[in-house]
Amino acid sequence: MSKSLFLFLCIASLLCFCDAYKVLVVFSLSGKSHSILGYGIVKHLLKTGHEVTYITAFPEESSDPNLTQIDVSSNMVALPKSYKESLNLKTVLEGKAVPLDFDIIHNLMNAVEMNTYQIENVSKLLNDPEQKFDVVIAEWMFTEICVGYAAIFNAPLIWFSSVQTHWIITKLIDESLHPAYNAEAIAHSIPPFNFFQRAHNLWTQLQVFYHLTKGRQETLYANEIVPIIKKRGLVPPSFNDLLYNSSLVLSNTHVSYAAATRLPQNYKPIGGFHIDEEVKPLPEDLKKVMDGASNGVIYFSMGSNLKSKEMPDMLKKELIKMFSDLKYTVLWKFEEEFFDLPENVHMVKWAPQHSILAHPNCVLFITHGGLLSTIESIHFVVPIIAIPVFGDQFINVEWSVRKGFGKRVDLSYTLAEDLKAAIEEVFANPRYKEIAKETSLIYHDRPVSPGAELVHWVEHVVKTKGALHLRSPALFVPLYQKLYLDVLVVILVFLIVLYKTARCLFFKEKITNKKKNN
Ligand SMILES: *[C@@H]1O[C@H](CO)[C@@H](O)[C@H](O)[C@H]1NC(C)=O
Ligand SMILES: *[C@@H]1O[C@H](CO)[C@@H](O)[C@H](O)[C@H]1NC(C)=O
Ligand SMILES: *[C@@H]1O[C@H](CO)[C@@H](O)[C@H](O)[C@H]1NC(C)=O
């Protein structure tokens, strides 16, 4: 290629990097893992030159001039004690945690999201007529009240789903998934279902449908969001019209760690996008520990919500004793100081998880089975032992066990003993590591990286003014038509009329015959 042609192409491609968009990203929930996903989206958008306003409970340290962050960490007050306790290891061990069903979570999340709309700096943004966005990305978390942002800014809406694919979200862009072979978001079992699981799944779906008919979101929308839309001089759409008008769902899933569910055209599984392509180097002290672990490192972390320090002292001591008998080095993410540790056990208050898992000496990850930890274990090819505690952890763990790279251990007072047996099994059986490798291959083998896919679809929605061409026709077909109830009624009526007419004629014939005979 001649130099001048090359130069021309370079300039042309620069000029062609046409549009930088203004994106509003809303992640209100004050959970660390949610904010890791939220910031993951933000980073990809900033990197491609877009301007982002990020509503978050965990603002990041960033000096990027194209990023504006609005701190909504005060949201935490909207979460009641019962919710926080369901995340406490001690409460769960004692069996005192309130089970969170859809109805409870729906109410909680409505409270959190409505609180966000009212936080001073958010309210300022919403009421500022100068503020305009090309697209809104909001996390779906058991409430759909975030559709308000799309109406306020008259912009297309993209949902982000942090959990495995489930019917409540596919219903928004297509239709409910069939309960006979699709699990709930916070289920404890995965397909294939037995008779009782299938019945239970249907029953749960019906209950959620019932709760959604109570119209709580409609009332909140009418009372608190419609006035903001009107103030901007826009005509507020009905809540139902807004609800079924989202452009896309970006989902933190991938077929490598879940079911091969049939998906709508505007549902994009981009699981793994939050992991940077280049892993940051380990801090010096950690690097020394991991480099020197000749028999390998077991990394133990219950994530950011569940605090290991909440475990009863007895259990902590038993775990440390059990770890000290192993030939492996154990790295435990623990939030308090611990003295007199055995030589092979190291505690860290903060753990750079990606860098630890990426280290070639990391041989096992003991986790709570949160989706991010599960994805990272696959990304870096480390088998897991998972101790599920709440939310979607049970279903993630069921999948890792089914696929074969994970082993489940239940949280109980005999945790140390059970964990020891599980560790022995995982190391004795090479299948765990082999399947971790196979799963990782499936996970990595995609036409483009999940981050590039994320950016592509967000830009696609803006370029095509809401990607109306991706909308499923199923959205506009009511249930009675899907079940062909109307056709059935017509056939029934026809058959009844036919039968009656035939009977009449037959009767008449009989009577005339009788008369004749008489
Ligand atoms: C900020 O966005 C503008 C376009 O809006 C872009 O030209 C610029 O390179 C971006 N700055 C950074 C630091 O990415
Ligand atoms: C609101 O935003 C301003 C800057 O725009 C900031 O100084 C202030 O601390 C924010 N308030 C809260 C409560 O976060
Ligand atoms: C539905 O979305 C499209 C594309 O984003 C938008 O043009 C339209 O105004 C929206 N309709 C309603 C009722 O919000």
Side-chain angles (χ1 to χ4, degrees):
M1 200 179 341
S2 78
K3 252 188 195 162
S4 55
L5 179 62
F6 180 70
L7 208 65
F8 171 76
L9 285 179
C10 282
I11 293 170
S13 67
L14 274 179
L15 290 177
C16 220
F17 177 67
C18 348
D19 301 304
Y21 301 132
K22 287 196 71 173
V23 187
L24 176 65
V25 180
V26 185
F27 272 69
S28 303
L29 193 64
S30 42
K32 183 68 188 150
S33 50
H34 298 269
S35 74
I36 291 174
L37 292 167
Y39 196 59
I41 297 176
V42 170
K43 274 196 294 191
H44 283 295
L45 293 171
L46 290 174
K47 218 165 62 188
T48 31
H50 300 297
E51 220 177 290
V52 182
T53 299
Y54 180 36
I55 296 181
T56 174
F58 285 87
E60 296 278 338
E61 280 189 23
S62 165
S63 54
D64 196 308
N66 290 342
L67 174 64
T68 310
Q69 302 193 74
I70 302 181
D71 182 347
V72 293
S73 49
S74 58
N75 259 336
M76 204 60 186
V77 294
L79 285 174
K81 212 167 144 232
S82 60
Y83 178 77
K84 287 172 199 157
E85 275 178 356
S86 76
L87 305 180
N88 183 310
L89 282 177
K90 186 159 174 286
T91 325
V92 177
L93 257 175
E94 289 166 350
K96 287 188 193 150
V98 189
L100 297 172
D101 66 8
F102 174 82
D103 198 38
I104 298 174
I105 304 182
H106 183 55
N107 273 334
L108 280 177
M109 295 305 148
N110 275 333
V112 169
E113 295 297 348
M114 287 323 293
N115 195 59
T116 300
Y117 278 101
Q118 279 142 14
I119 286 175
E120 196 191 336
N121 279 349
V122 177
S123 176
K124 251 192 217 159
L125 177 87
L126 303 182
N127 288 295
D128 178 356
E130 297 297 305
Q131 291 287 354
K132 295 202 165 52
F133 293 100
D134 295 304
V135 60
V136 175
I137 303 174
E139 184 185 22
W140 183 96
M141 208 49 212
F142 293 91
T143 168
E144 284 107 19
I145 203 70
C146 285
V147 293
Y149 294 100
I152 291 167
F153 294 109
N154 194 21
L157 176 69
I158 297 175
W159 285 115
F160 176 81
S161 169
S162 45
V163 292
Q164 309 262 20
T165 307
H166 58 90
W167 69 273
I168 313 179
I169 197 149
T170 59
K171 181 171 77 63
L172 297 177
I173 53 167
D174 182 50
E175 60 186 351
S176 310
L177 295 172
H178 203 297
Y181 49 86
N182 288 286
E184 297 278 328
I186 46 175
H188 286 223
S189 50
I190 55 173
F193 299 128
N194 64 29
F195 177 84
F196 293 103
Q197 289 167 332
R198 244 176 341 112
H200 178 262
N201 236 17
L202 178 64
W203 174 236
T204 315
Q205 220 179 76
L206 291 174
Q207 274 178 313
V208 173
F209 263 119
Y210 166 71
H211 288 309
L212 288 174
T213 59
K214 291 184 190 160
R216 281 169 287 196
Q217 305 190 101
E218 286 86 332
T219 312
L220 291 171
Y221 172 71
N223 293 344
E224 314 208 14
I225 300 172
V226 162
I228 310 177
I229 303 173
K230 284 189 174 157
K231 237 167 126 182
R232 288 186 156 256
L234 297 166
V235 182
S238 79
F239 183 75
N240 220 46
D241 284 350
L242 262 183
L243 190 60
Y244 295 104
N245 195 37
S246 35
S247 297
L248 200 76
V249 174
L250 293 171
S251 166
N252 192 28
T253 47
H254 187 257
V255 73
S256 51
Y257 47 86
T261 310
R262 175 194 329 137
L263 298 172
Q265 300 269 345
N266 50 356
Y267 188 100
K268 305 296 174 190
I270 50 159
F273 71 92
H274 73 284
I275 303 173
D276 289 339
E277 278 178 22
E278 251 177 69
V279 180
K280 289 193 191 77
L282 281 167
E284 231 7 83
D285 49 343
L286 261 182
K287 185 170 178 328
K288 219 167 117 193
V289 170
M290 292 201 73
D291 284 348
S294 48
N295 288 321
V297 175
I298 299 178
Y299 169 52
F300 179 22
S301 167
M302 292 298 278
S304 44
N305 278 318
L306 301 161
K307 307 267 183 271
S308 295
K309 68 178 182 189
E310 287 153 358
M311 280 184 194
D313 283 337
M314 189 64 185
L315 193 50
K316 286 181 211 167
K317 282 194 187 124
E318 284 172 7
L319 282 170
I320 290 174
K321 170 80 187 55
M322 185 270 286
F323 287 145
S324 73
D325 292 339
L326 301 174
K327 64 176 182 181
Y328 308 96
T329 299
V330 177
L331 194 60
W332 188 352
K333 195 203 128 222
F334 203 91
E335 304 78 16
E336 59 186 6
E337 294 282 341
F338 218 93
F339 299 101
D340 300 328
L341 281 176
E343 219 163 77
N344 68 330
V345 181
H346 299 262
M347 290 201 178
V348 282
K349 282 192 186 157
W350 170 81
Q353 187 152 300
H354 298 179
S355 314
I356 293 172
L357 292 172
H359 195 287
N361 285 351
C362 188
V363 287
L364 176 66
F365 180 15
I366 304 175
T367 165
H368 57 337
L371 195 50
L372 294 196
S373 293
T374 307
I375 297 172
E376 290 155 15
S377 77
I378 298 167
H379 189 102
F380 296 110
V381 205
V382 182
I384 61 174
I385 291 177
I387 312 166
V389 179
F390 77 99
D392 64 334
Q393 291 161 5
F394 296 93
I395 186 172
N396 300 333
V397 173
E398 285 308 311
W399 276 115
S400 68
V401 172
R402 169 74 57 77
K403 302 271 176 184
F405 63 89
K407 167 104 190 131
R408 174 176 169 161
V409 169
D410 289 322
L411 184 67
S412 75
Y413 289 107
T414 57
L415 183 64
E417 214 177 295
D418 302 343
L419 212 45
K420 184 166 196 265
I423 292 172
E424 280 166 4
E425 188 193 321
V426 172
F427 285 119
N429 186 347
R431 283 300 285 157
Y432 285 95
K433 180 74 185 182
E434 281 164 23
I435 296 180
K437 275 186 198 152
E438 288 164 16
T439 309
S440 191
L441 180 117
I442 298 169
Y443 163 92
H444 283 287
D445 196 27
R446 313 185 208 190
V448 284
S449 75
E453 201 174 348
L454 183 160
V455 172
H456 169 84
W457 288 113
V458 172
E459 290 176 349
H460 184 78
V461 164
V462 180
K463 279 185 216 165
T464 63
K465 301 191 170 55
L468 293 171
H469 58 284
L470 291 179
R471 308 252 167 130
S472 163
L475 265 180
F476 310 105
V477 183
L479 186 63
Y480 79 87
Q481 288 186 12
K482 284 179 190 160
L483 297 176
Y484 277 93
L485 291 182
D486 50 348
V487 175
L488 202 67
V489 167
V490 169
I491 293 175
L492 274 179
V493 168
F494 176 73
L495 287 179
I496 291 170
V497 170
L498 199 68
Y499 173 72
K500 292 264 182 197
T501 323
R503 229 173 91 128
C504 262
L505 288 177
F506 184 66
F507 246 150
K508 257 191 201 154
E509 217 166 274
K510 249 191 180 169
I511 292 168
T512 33
N513 281 350
K514 254 187 198 166
K515 274 183 186 160
K516 262 186 204 160
N517 290 346
N518 283 347

